[in-house]
């Protein structure tokens, strides 16, 4: 007897938690709205992938991406085609699938609440930056303070705005983003452009004087390289201060494939360090943000 083909409506009923379990991911914790997992889309040291089982939706606080079971399948199989996503789910869940479908749009429900943006004044946040070699004057020029409520608790973090008016968020206890996720392009009409993975490296370059005479692009994630490709052709030199890891090398290789010899690898400045900020902390005098540092 032949197996009955599962239709799309039945696939839509599959629990995200069950799907993740089938992929080998177990929840690491829970809150009032759902469960926390390590992201199945990337490598991370702290779980930042949240699932709301009741609504059947997920949100990755590390990348700003979110959606339902189909969009998650799309992230994992690198496809925006709905049929391919359904086939991927069926394959992982070991079920047959029919081809007839009628997709429904996903409406994202923001998790952040009571978001307030103000001047960066928190002593704790300024100390966090001072410990990473970033003085108050540079921090307050490029960053803001973002107060917000998340899962019923109040938090505050350093905010770095992107081109889509979302924010990268950092504190001693949190690394994530307030969506939408995007690059940050700092343009001042220069022919050269420096490229950084994260804004802490950009701030480090500010302290080291590496941004003088150059525009900057902060990717805010190597996954955003594609969003920057329309900007780079306008520059004669693309100087990349990327991390000394597989993700950084992969991003550099893609930029070189797309843009050729004008892409320069500047990581030779910090060959024994994981990134530019690590180099800054190891080689520059320690600072205190109790008073302004003049550079």
């Amino acid at each position: 007897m032949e197996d009955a083909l599962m239709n799309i409506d039945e696939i839509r009923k599959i629990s995200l938690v069950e799907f993740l379990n089938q992929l080998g991911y177990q929840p690491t914790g829970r809150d009032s709205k759902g469960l926390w997992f390590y992201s199945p889309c990337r490598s991370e040291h702290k779980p930042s992938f949240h699932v709301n089982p009741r609504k059947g939706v997920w949100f990755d606080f590390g990348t700003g991406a979110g959606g339902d079971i189909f969009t998650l399948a799309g992230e994992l199989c690198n496809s925006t085609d709905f049929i391919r996503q359904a086939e991927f789910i069926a394959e992982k869940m070991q079920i047959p699938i029919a081809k007839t479908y009628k997709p429904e749009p996903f409406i994202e429900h923001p998790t952040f609440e009571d978001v307030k943006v103000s001047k960066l004044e928190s002593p704790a946040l300024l100390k966090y930056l001072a410990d990473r070699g970033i003085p108050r004057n540079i921090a307050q020029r490029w960053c803001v303070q973002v107060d917000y409520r998340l899962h019923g608790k109040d938090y505050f973090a350093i905010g770095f705005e992107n081109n889509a008016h979302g924010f990268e968020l950092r504190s001693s206890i949190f690394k994530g983003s307030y969506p939408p996720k995007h690059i940050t392009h700092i343009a001042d009409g220069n022919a050269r452009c420096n490229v950084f993975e994260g804004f802490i490296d950009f701030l480090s370059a500010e302290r080291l004087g590496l941004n003088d005479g150059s525009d900057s692009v902060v990717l805010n994630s190597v996954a955003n390289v594609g969003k920057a490709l329309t900007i780079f052709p306008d520059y004669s030199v693309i100087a990349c201060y990327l991390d000394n890891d597989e993700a950084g090398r992969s991003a550099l290789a893609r930029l070189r494939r797309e843009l050729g010899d004008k892409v320069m690898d500047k990581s030779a400045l910090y060959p024994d360090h994981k990134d530019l900020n690590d180099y800054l902390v190891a080689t520059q005098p320690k600072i205190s943000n109790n008073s302004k540092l003049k550079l």
Side-chain angles (χ1 to χ4, degrees):
M1 179 178 178
E2 293 182 359
D3 291 335
L5 292 177
M6 171 170 276
N7 63 39
I8 298 300
D9 288 335
E10 289 174 318
I11 286 184
R12 191 172 279 113
K13 295 176 183 177
I14 295 174
S15 162
L16 267 171
V17 174
E18 181 184 359
F19 183 49
L20 286 164
N21 287 346
Q22 189 69 19
L23 295 174
Y25 293 87
Q26 302 293 326
T28 63
R30 65 176 61 240
D31 57 26
S32 61
K33 293 186 178 181
L35 303 171
W36 291 95
F37 293 78
Y38 285 102
S39 173
C41 307
R42 58 193 172 81
S43 176
E44 60 178 0
H45 298 296
K46 294 182 179 179
S48 62
F49 189 93
H50 190 265
V51 171
N52 185 322
R54 184 175 63 83
K55 295 182 178 180
V57 296
W58 59 275
F59 188 83
D60 190 333
F61 285 87
T63 65
D68 60 6
I69 191 170
F70 294 99
T71 53
L72 176 56
E75 291 283 331
L76 295 173
C77 70
N78 193 30
S79 176
T80 58
D81 180 76
F82 191 83
I83 291 179
R84 177 67 191 101
Q85 294 169 1
E87 289 174 343
F88 181 86
I89 298 168
E91 176 186 342
K92 296 302 180 183
M93 299 301 293
Q94 299 181 347
I95 54 176
I97 180 174
K99 299 295 184 181
T100 304
Y101 73 95
K102 183 180 180 180
E104 297 177 1
F106 168 73
I107 301 175
E108 183 174 316
H109 299 277
T111 306
F112 286 87
E113 299 174 330
D114 300 329
V115 177
K116 299 176 182 177
V117 178
S118 60
K119 183 178 179 180
L120 179 56
E121 295 282 10
S122 164
L125 296 178
L126 289 170
K127 181 182 183 302
Y128 168 78
L129 287 173
D131 290 343
R132 302 191 68 168
I134 310 301
R136 175 192 294 261
N137 60 328
I138 290 177
Q140 290 181 332
R141 179 183 178 189
W142 296 107
C143 301
V144 294
Q145 181 169 321
V146 180
D147 294 84
Y148 58 95
R149 176 172 283 266
L150 186 63
H151 310 307
K153 295 183 179 181
D154 293 322
Y155 299 96
F156 58 93
I158 302 151
F160 183 75
E161 190 172 7
N162 64 40
N163 283 17
H165 305 297
F167 288 91
E168 294 303 302
L169 301 177
R170 296 290 184 277
S171 72
S172 60
I173 62 170
F174 183 73
K175 179 179 180 180
S177 59
Y178 175 66
K181 189 88 170 177
H182 212 285
I183 67 169
T184 302
H185 183 205
I186 300 167
D188 195 29
N190 294 295
R192 296 170 56 96
C193 185
N194 291 339
V195 182
F196 308 93
E197 288 190 34
F199 76 89
I200 299 294
D201 288 329
F202 165 75
L203 299 178
S204 301
E206 285 288 296
R207 185 183 176 194
L208 292 167
L210 299 175
N211 290 333
D212 295 346
S214 296
D215 289 358
S216 294
V217 165
V218 184
L219 296 173
N220 296 317
S221 170
V222 290
N224 285 336
V225 168
K227 297 177 182 178
L229 289 176
T230 58
I231 293 173
F232 291 142
D234 294 332
Y235 292 100
S236 59
V237 175
I238 311 295
C240 296
Y241 295 86
L242 302 176
D243 292 1
N244 280 320
D245 59 16
E246 183 178 349
R249 289 187 289 272
S250 177
L252 177 69
R254 180 178 179 186
L255 289 172
R256 281 180 163 166
R257 287 196 304 271
E258 299 282 349
L259 301 166
D261 293 340
K262 69 178 179 179
V263 176
M264 300 172 58
D265 180 11
K266 305 297 287 186
S267 65
L269 173 65
Y270 44 97
D272 300 321
H273 302 275
K274 64 184 181 69
D275 57 29
L276 187 60
N277 180 250
D278 188 46
Y279 167 79
L280 171 68
V281 172
T283 60
Q284 300 299 307
K286 292 184 178 181
I287 64 170
S288 170
N289 274 338
N290 292 327
S291 59
K292 296 183 179 181
L293 175 67
K294 301 295 185 181
L295 295 181

